């Protein structure tokens, strides 16, 4: 039998070997409990649960459906949104719903605290672990107030990255908590507000958690894929990508009925879809060639993005020059200026070790586009 160029009879052996190999690929990740993970056992930490605690029923249904598949149950209690008119979290009453749901499946529970009062109420209710949100980490006043409130408290603390892509603000927050005596601190990478976050809600900027890892190799880092993606369809690929960068685990939002969730409906998964996501992940070996290649590729992605932003800026300035020339009746093409631009760029290229021929070709294209843009310029 022959299908296009593939001769089955001749290649049957190869075909069988590849198929078996494909089916036997190491799929799915091993989810382990917090103490084992802390002790350095093989496996991943998964913090799963809804964006917001909404009711006792919702928490019990979530916990029940996640039994055996999560390490920690999460749920937001205080949820001030960007604008004050929407649901802002159930508040203190929800703490017992969260704690009871976690106890029912024998996993610790975690919530976000943003003030000293939150810390007091959460500890009082028996919450086992806390996380500090991205909007709090941007403000060292708030971080210090929380560190003071946690002084002498022995509790695992997870610190999200600040919304702005500032590694020192992230590290600074971690250091403030450590200075207050907290010995069990974990970093959460949840993406950054960026000039070009598309297609994500928060740009992953993988180089930043990688840099944090280089600065603090002792620190465990997990990836909050939900707040990076902002939508369900990007979750699987983003979770896989984060494995390439050696994440130690995930935070992920799960709701029994995501479309009806009171916050972050677009990014939450049903418990079943969450289990599918876990089983479709392919773990990678730490420090493997794939991981190293991925780090380098991520650097290329960032440099390309910077190149594109620089090009766009150049075109905008070129359009402004076009307007100016039009208003003052100046010809678009000024040959002497162009010769001067090109020779200075070529000299610079040579000086910094770039191939002048390649640079000439790039600038010829840029110049052509600029001229076309200027010729099309309309007076406002
Ligand atoms: C959350 O985890 O529900 C949350 C508000 O996250 P972030 O602080 O990352 O926005
Ligand atoms: Mn959320």
């Amino acid at each position: 039998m022959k299908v296009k160029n593939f001769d089955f009879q001749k290649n049957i052996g190869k075909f069988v070997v590849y198929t078996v190999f494909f089916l036997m690929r190491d799929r799915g990740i091993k989810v382990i409990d917090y103490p084992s993970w802390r002790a350095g056992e093989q496996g991943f930490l998964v913090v799963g649960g809804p964006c917001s605690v909404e009711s006792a029923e919702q928490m019990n249904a979530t916990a029940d459906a996640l039994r055996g598949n999560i390490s920690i149950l999460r749920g937001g209690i205080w949820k001030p949104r960007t604008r004050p008119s929407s649901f802002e979290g159930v508040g203190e009453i929800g703490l017992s719903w969260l704690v009871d749901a976690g106890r029912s499946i024998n996993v610790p529970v975690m919530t976000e605290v943003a003030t000293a009062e939150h810390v007091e109420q959460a500890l009082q209710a028996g919450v086992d672990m806390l996380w500090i949100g991205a909007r709090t980490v941007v403000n060292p006043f708030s971080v210090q107030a929380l560190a003071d409130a946690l002084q002498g408290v022995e509790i695992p603390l997870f610190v999200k990255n600040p919304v702005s892509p500032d590694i020192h603000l992230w590290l600074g927050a971690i250091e403030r908590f450590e200075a207050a005596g907290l010995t069990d601190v974990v970093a959460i990478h949840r993406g950054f507000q960026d000039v070009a976050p598309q297609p994500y809600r928060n740009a992953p900027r993988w180089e930043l958690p990688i840099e944090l890892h280089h600065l603090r190799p002792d620190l465990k880092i997990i990836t909050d894929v939900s707040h990076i993606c902002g939508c369900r369809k990007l979750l699987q690929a983003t979770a896989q990508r984060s494995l390439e960068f050696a994440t130690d685990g995930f935070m992920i939002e799960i709701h029994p009925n995501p479309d009806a969730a009171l916050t972050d409906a677009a990014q939450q998964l049903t418990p079943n879809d969450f289990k599918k996501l876990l089983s479709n992940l392919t773990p990678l070996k730490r420090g493997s060639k794939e991981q190293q290649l991925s780090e380098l590729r991520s650097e290329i992605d960032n440099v390309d993005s910077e190149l594109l932003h620089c090009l766009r800026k150049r075109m905008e300035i070129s359009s402004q020059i076009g307007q100016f020339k039009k208003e003052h009746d100046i010809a678009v093409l000024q040959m002497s200026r162009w010769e001067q631009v090109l020779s200075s760029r070529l000299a610079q290229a040579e000086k910094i070790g770039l191939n002048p021929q390649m640079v000439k070709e790039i600038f010829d294209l840029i110049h052509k586009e600029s001229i076309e843009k200027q010729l099309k310029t309309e007076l406002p």
Side-chain angles (χ1 to χ4, degrees):
M1 180 170 60
K2 223 170 173 177
V3 177
K4 283 204 178 149
N5 296 325
F6 190 82
D7 183 335
F8 272 107
Q9 258 135 31
K10 231 166 132 193
N11 290 293
I12 191 78
K14 253 191 218 161
F15 181 72
V16 170
V17 170
Y18 283 139
T19 309
V20 170
F21 188 69
F22 181 78
L23 293 174
M24 282 180 56
R25 250 176 341 152
D26 198 9
R27 293 296 282 284
I29 59 167
K30 187 170 157 217
V31 179
I32 60 173
D33 64 72
Y34 189 75
S36 310
W37 182 73
R38 258 283 162 227
E41 265 180 43
Q42 280 270 322
F44 290 86
L45 189 81
V46 175
V47 184
C51 177
S52 293
V53 170
E54 298 168 5
S55 67
E57 295 71 37
Q58 168 235 15
M59 289 313 297
N60 290 332
T62 310
D64 214 32
L66 296 178
R67 195 185 292 274
N69 288 291
I70 52 169
S71 323
I72 299 165
L73 180 67
R74 66 152 276 160
I77 295 287
W78 299 280
K79 305 290 301 181
R81 313 309 285 171
T82 307
R83 300 190 65 192
S85 48
S86 43
F87 172 75
E88 300 243 302
V90 290
E92 194 180 0
I93 190 178
L95 288 168
S96 63
W97 304 338
L98 172 66
V99 171
D100 291 348
R103 301 285 184 272
S104 75
I105 58 163
N106 204 22
V107 297
V109 300
M110 168 152 44
T111 198
E112 174 179 352
V113 287
T115 66
E117 200 189 1
H118 293 165
V119 170
E120 199 189 314
Q121 292 178 1
L123 295 180
Q124 184 73 30
V127 170
D128 309 284
M129 303 177 180
L130 304 171
W131 89 78
I132 311 295
R135 280 162 208 79
T136 306
V137 178
V138 285
N139 183 350
F141 283 118
S142 308
V143 171
Q144 192 55 53
L146 284 161
D148 294 343
L150 284 164
Q151 184 96 37
V153 180
E154 274 184 32
I155 193 165
L157 184 77
F158 288 62
V159 181
K160 291 209 179 191
N161 64 255
V163 279
S164 44
D166 183 339
I167 185 107
H168 295 288
L169 213 43
W170 194 4
L171 192 53
I174 290 166
E175 288 166 349
R176 281 180 198 276
F177 290 113
E178 288 173 334
L182 285 129
T183 52
D184 195 353
V185 179
V186 176
I188 306 181
H189 166 222
R190 50 78 78 195
F192 301 86
Q193 266 175 14
D194 202 79
V195 275
Q198 293 300 340
Y200 302 98
R201 177 177 176 189
N202 290 293
R205 299 284 302 262
W206 299 107
E207 76 279 12
L208 293 170
I210 289 170
E211 195 184 335
L212 183 68
H213 178 67
H214 289 318
L215 291 171
R216 284 287 307 267
D218 58 309
L219 202 66
K220 285 192 179 275
I221 309 178
I222 66 168
T223 312
D224 173 350
V225 281
S226 301
H227 289 90
I228 290 177
C229 296
C231 65
R232 290 189 261 280
K233 71 173 193 303
L234 295 173
L235 287 169
Q236 183 78 55
T238 306
Q240 185 60 46
R241 198 93 216 273
S242 77
L243 287 177
E244 291 165 20
F245 298 118
T247 188
D248 296 299
F250 297 106
M251 178 179 261
I252 184 158
E253 290 187 338
I254 308 156
H255 192 285
N257 182 5
D259 289 335
L262 298 180
T263 51
D264 287 350
Q267 70 194 26
Q268 303 205 56
L269 285 179
T270 61
N272 273 342
D273 285 344
F274 156 70
K275 286 177 220 163
K276 267 188 226 151
L277 178 139
L278 288 190
S279 61
N280 282 329
L281 290 172
T282 307
L284 291 173
K285 283 216 175 60
R286 205 167 265 274
S288 63
K289 281 197 203 76
E290 289 95 331
Q291 267 184 3
Q292 288 172 29
L293 184 61
S294 213
E295 282 194 24
L296 290 170
R297 283 185 170 150
S298 169
E299 281 178 39
I300 285 275
D301 290 349
N302 288 321
V303 172
D304 283 354
S305 166
E306 276 171 31
L307 266 176
L308 290 172
H309 275 96
C310 286
L311 270 180
R312 195 195 62 184
K313 192 161 171 210
R314 195 189 195 284
M315 289 304 156
E316 276 167 12
I317 300 173
S318 179
S319 294
Q320 284 171 21
I321 293 179
Q323 294 264 347
F324 186 88
K325 285 179 181 163
K326 190 128 196 164
E327 277 164 21
H328 297 88
D329 262 335
I330 302 170
V332 165
L333 183 58
Q334 308 266 313
M335 239 10 234
S336 61
R337 163 71 185 155
W338 170 234
E339 278 159 12
Q340 181 212 332
V341 166
L342 191 61
S343 68
S344 81
R345 304 314 182 251
L346 292 181
Q348 191 184 354
E350 197 136 25
K351 207 165 151 196
I352 62 174
L354 283 172
N355 174 356
Q357 185 53 37
M358 173 192 76
V359 173
K360 182 175 181 318
E361 282 172 30
I362 291 173
F363 272 93
D364 278 342
L365 277 173
I366 292 174
H367 184 237
K368 184 168 161 274
E369 174 72 11
S370 276
I371 295 288
E372 273 167 21
K373 253 193 150 52
Q374 292 192 6
L375 286 172
K376 282 194 216 129
T377 303
E378 301 282 339
L379 277 178

